[in-house]
Amino acid sequence: MTARILVVDDDVDLRRLLTRQLERRGFETVAAGSAEEASDALANAGIDAVLTDVSMRGMGGIEFCKRVAAMGTGIPVLMLTAYGSMETAVEALRAGASDFITKPVDVEVLVFGLERALERRRLHEEVRRLREAVPVHARNRDPIGESDVMRRAFDTLQRVAGTDVSVLVTGASGTGKEVAARFVHEQSARRSGPFVAVNCSALPDALLESELFGHRRGAFTGAATDREGLVVGAHGGTLFLDEIGELPRELQPKLLRALQERRVRPVGSDAEVDVDVRLVTATNRDLDQLVAEGAFREDLFYRINVVSVRLPALAARGNDTLLLAQHFVGIHAARMNKRVRGLSPPVAAALLAYAWPGNVRELGNCIERAVALTEHEELTLADLPPRVLGDEPASVLPTAESTEELPPLAEVERRYVLRVFDACGGSASRTAQVLGVDRKTLYRRLEQYRKTNGGRAGAD
């Protein structure tokens, strides 16, 4: 949607120039010649951001900025001033301004500042919404996710949950396959029965048969007592076999027979035991390829693959990353007895920019670390692991044993500029002051970093 900008200035010519320039850049504008007139527009015109002069007749820009901040709407305010002093900048920022722009106005700088302010507001709103949404998900025991790909996946799972058909959940490691299996169980008529999860890759082949199907006393060395096995333990409920692609070839016929006959034979026994289980399996491997290679039985593949659902990588789930992060904040803050409410907008932007090769599992570990380290009610960039920030080296000035490992000067400069930018809370004005450059130069560099580093430089 097109953002609507309220332009407030008692200079008619400048006001018209600014509105015309902004409209050429795709913004909608509402013009006001005074703070009093602008107050009416704020109440009725659906304003997304405010651009106001500092010096105006009647109520000045600083006081007007305080009034906007007091409304609690989160509408960002950018200040126009002919005076580039630090005193003016500090006063504007204390009043709640997002940034200040010096006259004569450079349109590129203005548009860049507006876009950043609007993105910050969007992230603020998203973080606030997530704080309200996560308890609802937890209360309803719903999966955490609102993206289209996850809605489609869990819609399929919900539709088959009421049946007893076998379900195969596929996806990369860490995408939440066990969560999906538990969802099927909780939505089924078997929800009051047991949910038994077995990782087929976690046990030695020699023990896996006994763990799954049980054994009788004396069946092998160390079998001092009878054991019923995990398949029987899931009787009346759901059996979840994770990493089914790792199931040894010699055990696959026995599992197939157990599924078809609903009976298992413990190791060392001549008698069979009746079982009634619903099977859900999961894998991050290509079972079709394993079948083609002869490593996985074709008949077992078709038996477990009645309904197949693939879970997407976290990077493909958009704002689900923030919803999950807020969920993990609640879990770990409660466990650590820390007063941490959620994410700051800069953290939200960094989480969205990162690729998450470890998917939801990596995100959970990242948030656990951040909650443990933070000293604030909202997580800050300093709480995140360096890899998430795209800033893996621990120092701006790296050390290395050989010259080949040393980065070029441009890369060292980039790291330093971004570190100062983060330390200044994303304020371009304060960053430029610390670096000793004008804001136009800083904006050019940030835009260059953004284009060459996948959006990281612009995160705020």
Side-chain angles (χ1 to χ4, degrees):
M1 295 180 62
T2 302
R4 179 171 292 181
I5 312 300
L6 174 59
V7 180
V8 189
D9 200 314
D10 56 4
D11 184 329
V12 176
D13 293 334
L14 180 57
R15 189 169 70 241
R16 288 175 177 171
L17 175 63
L18 290 172
T19 56
R20 189 162 56 247
Q21 293 280 10
L22 291 176
E23 287 170 358
R24 287 176 181 172
R25 299 306 179 94
F27 295 100
E28 292 182 6
T29 62
V30 176
S34 67
E36 291 75 12
E37 184 182 347
S39 298
D40 294 335
L42 278 173
N44 303 304
I47 300 301
D48 297 303
V50 174
L51 177 64
T52 181
D53 198 359
V54 169
S55 301
M56 297 187 293
R57 291 183 295 272
M59 180 185 295
I62 297 292
E63 288 302 313
F64 179 60
C65 182
K66 292 178 180 178
R67 175 180 291 187
V68 176
M71 294 170 60
T73 59
I75 296 175
V77 179
L78 283 77
M79 309 288 288
L80 289 173
T81 176
Y83 309 101
S85 69
M86 277 303 295
E87 290 78 8
T88 303
V90 170
E91 189 178 5
L93 294 172
R94 285 177 176 170
S98 298
D99 206 343
F100 74 99
I101 311 295
T102 54
K103 299 177 182 178
V105 177
D106 184 310
V107 177
E108 295 297 330
V109 172
L110 173 59
V111 169
F112 189 91
L114 281 171
E115 288 177 344
R116 286 177 47 77
L118 290 166
E119 177 63 11
R120 282 198 298 269
R121 188 191 184 196
R122 186 192 71 77
L123 288 171
H124 269 294
E125 290 298 311
E126 183 65 11
V127 168
R128 181 192 59 77
R129 185 189 69 81
L130 294 177
R131 288 175 185 161
E132 297 172 355
V134 166
V136 174
H137 281 277
R139 185 169 60 250
N140 296 337
R141 307 190 74 169
D142 289 342
I144 304 296
E146 297 178 344
S147 60
D148 288 342
V149 285
M150 287 302 289
R151 287 182 185 276
R152 287 193 296 270
F154 278 91
D155 177 65
T156 300
L157 292 174
Q158 185 156 30
R159 281 188 282 140
V160 303
T163 72
D164 256 359
V165 301
S166 298
V167 177
L168 172 64
V169 184
T170 63
S173 179
T175 50
K177 295 186 287 295
E178 184 168 344
V179 172
R182 289 185 181 276
F183 176 77
V184 171
H185 176 72
E186 291 292 337
Q187 297 295 313
S188 73
R190 296 174 176 268
R191 67 179 67 89
S192 59
F195 177 87
V196 177
V198 184
N199 189 326
C200 296
S201 66
L203 294 169
D205 293 357
L207 294 180
L208 187 56
E209 181 179 8
S210 172
E211 287 293 316
L212 284 176
F213 305 113
H215 62 255
R216 290 294 174 257
R217 179 181 177 183
F220 51 84
T221 302
T225 60
D226 290 349
R227 182 166 184 171
E228 67 176 12
L230 296 172
V231 176
V232 174
H235 181 78
T238 301
L239 175 67
F240 173 53
L241 297 181
D242 197 7
E243 304 299 347
I244 187 67
E246 306 298 331
L247 187 69
R249 188 70 163 78
E250 59 270 19
L251 287 186
Q252 294 175 23
K254 190 166 186 175
L255 175 61
L256 178 62
R257 187 174 187 281
L259 296 175
Q260 291 176 336
E261 304 295 330
R262 292 181 175 270
R263 300 170 68 85
V264 299
R265 177 175 294 172
V267 177
S269 173
D270 294 328
E272 293 185 323
V273 179
D274 291 333
V275 291
D276 174 26
V277 299
R278 198 273 181 76
L279 181 69
V280 180
T281 56
T283 183
N284 60 9
R285 301 188 65 183
D286 184 346
L287 289 187
D288 288 294
Q289 182 65 31
L290 292 180
V291 170
E293 294 171 353
F296 200 88
R297 289 179 62 109
E298 187 175 24
D299 47 4
L300 178 59
F301 173 67
Y302 289 124
R303 183 65 182 80
I304 67 175
N305 189 27
V306 179
V307 175
S308 178
V309 173
R310 182 166 187 81
L311 298 185
L314 181 57
R317 294 176 55 180
N319 277 3
D320 281 0
T321 299
L322 302 185
L323 194 63
L324 285 160
Q326 184 65 38
H327 172 68
F328 290 133
V329 167
I331 291 175
H332 296 304
R335 181 172 61 83
M336 299 177 196
N337 195 28
K338 296 188 70 173
R339 184 178 174 82
V340 183
R341 296 186 300 117
L343 320 171
S344 66
V347 165
L351 297 183
L352 289 174
Y354 183 58
W356 299 110
N359 294 297
V360 179
R361 185 178 295 119
E362 183 184 5
L363 174 63
N365 291 341
C366 167
I367 298 301
E368 181 178 13
R369 172 194 189 275
V371 171
L373 291 177
T374 193
E375 297 177 345
H376 308 281
E377 289 193 359
E378 289 186 338
L379 300 183
T380 68
L381 290 173
D383 303 321
L384 297 181
R387 67 179 182 278
V388 174
L389 299 175
D391 203 15
E392 193 66 50
S395 173
V396 172
L397 297 177
T399 58
E401 295 183 1
S402 69
T403 56
E404 287 78 9
E405 298 175 7
L406 290 169
L409 180 60
E411 173 62 14
V412 175
E413 179 188 271
R414 184 189 73 84
R415 294 178 192 175
Y416 181 68
V417 170
L418 293 180
R419 184 153 299 184
V420 173
F421 186 68
D422 287 342
C424 291
S427 169
S429 301
R430 282 178 286 172
T431 303
Q433 178 72 16
V434 171
L435 294 175
V437 300
D438 60 62
R439 283 183 303 151
K440 186 181 298 186
T441 299
L442 176 63
Y443 281 125
R444 281 199 301 268
R445 291 183 183 178
L446 291 175
E447 179 64 15
Q448 177 186 352
Y449 300 156
R450 185 188 67 79
K451 290 179 179 178
T452 57
N453 291 278
R456 168 69 186 97
D460 196 354

